[in-house]
Amino acid sequence: MGELNKEVVDLVWKRPGSNGVSASLFRRWTQGLVFSETEHTALEQFEGGPCAVIAPIQVWTSPQTSAMSLEVLSKRIVKSLSELREEVVSLYETWKGRCGVLFFLYSVILTKGIVNIRNEIEDTTEPLVDPVYGHGSQSLVNLLVTGHAVSNVWDGDRECSGMKLHGIHNQTSVGFLTLMESLRYCKVGAFLKSPKFPIWILGSETHLSVFFAKEMCLVAPESPSEQARRVFQTFDPEDNGFIPDSLLEEVMKALDLVSEPEYYVSLMKSKLDPEGLGIVLLAPFLLEFFPDQDTGIPDSFPVYHYNGLKQSNHNERVEYVQGTALVLGLEDPMVRTDDTPVKRCLQTKWPYIELLWNTDRSPSLN
């Protein structure tokens, strides 16, 4: 098992030719899976770093140490789900112990297979944990959320300078949204934005938290207007909120709208761009073709947010923060809540969402 252990450690911690992470950074990851005393189903995170493991696990619950010394790893094979359940329960005290988070991570890696993970990671020289800041990589987050250690969050694969860049290929069970999209550093695809269950991991610049609701209608199949928004945005990769009018015909064809170019398309160009600016805005486009479209989402519904860091919670008590979400229409909303990172992150999924929290302050993404 010695060589296998070294491969696991190298995959998680080491760049080729480096000595891996510092002992102080590694210590931030040496914590168990410990539940909050004030919220018995909420996991606590003691220091920055292991949220890349703790947040995905949370989704399914509602002296110096060197990384090279973990020689206690052993491989056990189970043949059924019931055997797996028994094995996990039998190791409950181990999961709670000092290295519980790491044992869980290493178990996932060994289950998936080191070769399989390396084949999915875009840059095989980069470890799953950043050796400078200790943050989990997007590949690590994707591995724990989707089962695939791909490095990107868009739908499907893309070609770039002759290279195939891998993304997400199927609808995921739980979702992922990131503040980085609101800052236009990336674009999360529909497979992660619209998961099977109304649970989303939220990413900030440095941390991961969890947003969830009990309304299954939030993850119902796309309405025609939601499909139209998604298709329109594929022709607007910069997320400007408009397309050149020369692309209108292609958008209409993609949505099976009448697209006879000699008359109807030119008529729509004139109607949607009356000032002759040469662009078509998203909002007028949706209002023209999908007026009064009912998405099936209630006007308001309860929502919850989880952040495992004590210092990010009121009175340092790790608890779920409850609030009410209002999803409004394309018109200017009558209710305006404050502009917070949580709200900006959620607006990448629901552009007109407003949030009313039951606490004096908005929950923190960091």
Side-chain angles (χ1 to χ4, degrees):
M1 286 293 294
E3 185 59 33
L4 182 60
N5 290 352
K6 182 179 184 304
E7 287 186 57
V8 173
V9 169
D10 288 351
L11 178 66
V12 176
W13 300 106
K14 292 183 66 178
R15 287 193 179 109
S18 74
N19 293 322
V21 298
S22 66
S24 61
L25 188 151
F26 178 76
R27 276 201 305 274
R28 285 160 42 189
W29 281 74
T30 53
Q31 73 156 84
L33 297 172
V34 179
F35 290 100
S36 167
E37 293 182 358
T38 55
E39 192 79 73
H40 298 312
T41 60
L43 291 167
E44 278 194 17
Q45 180 182 337
F46 302 154
E47 296 186 73
C51 58
V53 175
I54 292 175
I57 296 176
Q58 178 63 44
V59 160
W60 299 109
T61 66
S62 289
Q64 294 188 355
T65 305
S66 165
M68 303 305 292
S69 68
L70 292 176
E71 297 175 357
V72 295
L73 287 179
S74 61
K75 195 171 184 179
R76 303 186 191 183
I77 298 175
V78 296
K79 297 180 180 179
S80 67
L81 185 60
S82 60
E83 278 189 43
L84 174 61
R85 187 178 293 111
E86 290 177 9
E87 193 70 33
V88 169
V89 171
S90 72
L91 294 170
Y92 178 67
E93 293 302 320
T94 302
W95 301 126
K96 288 170 54 181
R98 187 181 65 175
C99 292
V101 167
L102 289 178
F103 286 149
F104 179 86
L105 173 57
Y106 296 160
S107 177
V108 169
I109 290 171
L110 291 172
T111 301
K112 169 77 176 182
I114 295 172
V115 173
N116 293 331
I117 293 175
R118 290 198 184 279
N119 287 338
E120 291 174 348
I121 294 177
E122 201 161 281
D123 184 353
T124 56
T125 66
E126 290 299 309
L128 293 178
V129 175
D130 182 88
V132 177
Y133 300 104
H135 304 143
S137 68
Q138 189 64 50
S139 292
L140 174 55
V141 175
N142 285 347
L143 172 64
L144 294 174
V145 172
T146 73
H148 299 282
V150 296
S151 305
N152 304 297
V153 292
W154 57 61
D155 291 343
D157 299 335
R158 296 186 181 181
E159 293 284 341
C160 181
S161 302
M163 293 179 57
K164 181 176 281 190
L165 306 179
H166 298 289
I168 309 300
H169 283 260
N170 302 103
Q171 183 190 28
T172 55
S173 292
V174 300
F176 176 78
L177 304 173
T178 173
L179 185 64
M180 296 297 98
E181 180 170 354
S182 72
L183 300 173
R184 301 196 176 186
Y185 286 112
C186 69
K187 183 77 173 176
V188 179
F191 288 141
L192 281 172
K193 278 188 179 174
S194 302
K196 297 176 183 177
F197 299 99
I199 308 169
W200 290 264
I201 291 176
L202 305 184
S204 73
E205 304 94 329
T206 60
H207 188 48
L208 296 172
S209 56
V210 179
F211 173 85
F212 61 99
K214 299 178 181 179
E215 302 286 340
M216 287 302 293
C217 61
L218 296 182
V219 290
E222 283 183 315
S223 69
S225 64
E226 290 171 326
Q227 181 194 22
R229 179 189 297 275
R230 176 174 56 80
V231 170
F232 188 100
Q233 289 175 333
T234 63
F235 290 86
D236 175 25
E238 300 299 321
D239 202 22
N240 295 312
F242 63 84
I243 59 171
D245 64 359
S246 59
L247 294 178
L248 179 60
E249 181 180 352
E250 293 185 56
V251 174
M252 292 172 67
K253 284 182 177 178
L255 292 168
D256 291 326
L257 302 171
V258 177
S259 56
E260 196 281 310
E262 294 299 323
Y263 174 71
Y264 191 67
V265 174
S266 60
L267 176 66
M268 285 298 103
K269 283 183 182 180
S270 300
K271 189 171 184 179
L272 295 172
D273 182 22
E275 298 179 2
L277 300 177
I279 61 173
V280 174
L281 295 171
L282 172 60
F285 175 84
L286 293 177
L287 285 173
E288 173 64 32
F289 292 104
F290 304 94
D292 303 320
Q293 184 70 222
D294 182 10
T295 63
I297 297 176
D299 293 336
S300 66
F301 49 91
V303 294
Y304 306 85
H305 182 263
Y306 155 86
N307 189 325
L309 284 170
K310 271 190 173 182
Q311 60 266 35
S312 299
N313 286 264
H314 183 59
N315 292 331
E316 296 195 348
R317 292 154 60 102
V318 176
E319 296 176 315
Y320 303 130
V321 180
Q322 183 174 350
T324 300
L326 309 173
V327 177
L328 304 165
L330 293 171
E331 68 279 358
D332 289 335
M334 297 178 65
V335 178
R336 288 281 188 183
T337 58
D338 55 355
D339 184 30
T340 60
V342 170
K343 178 179 166 183
R344 292 199 301 271
C345 186
L346 294 175
Q347 283 176 326
T348 65
K349 164 70 174 172
W350 300 284
Y352 299 96
I353 196 170
E354 298 291 341
L355 298 163
L356 303 171
W357 298 102
N358 295 358
T359 52
D360 293 335
R361 63 178 185 177
S362 173
S364 173
L365 280 188
N366 291 310

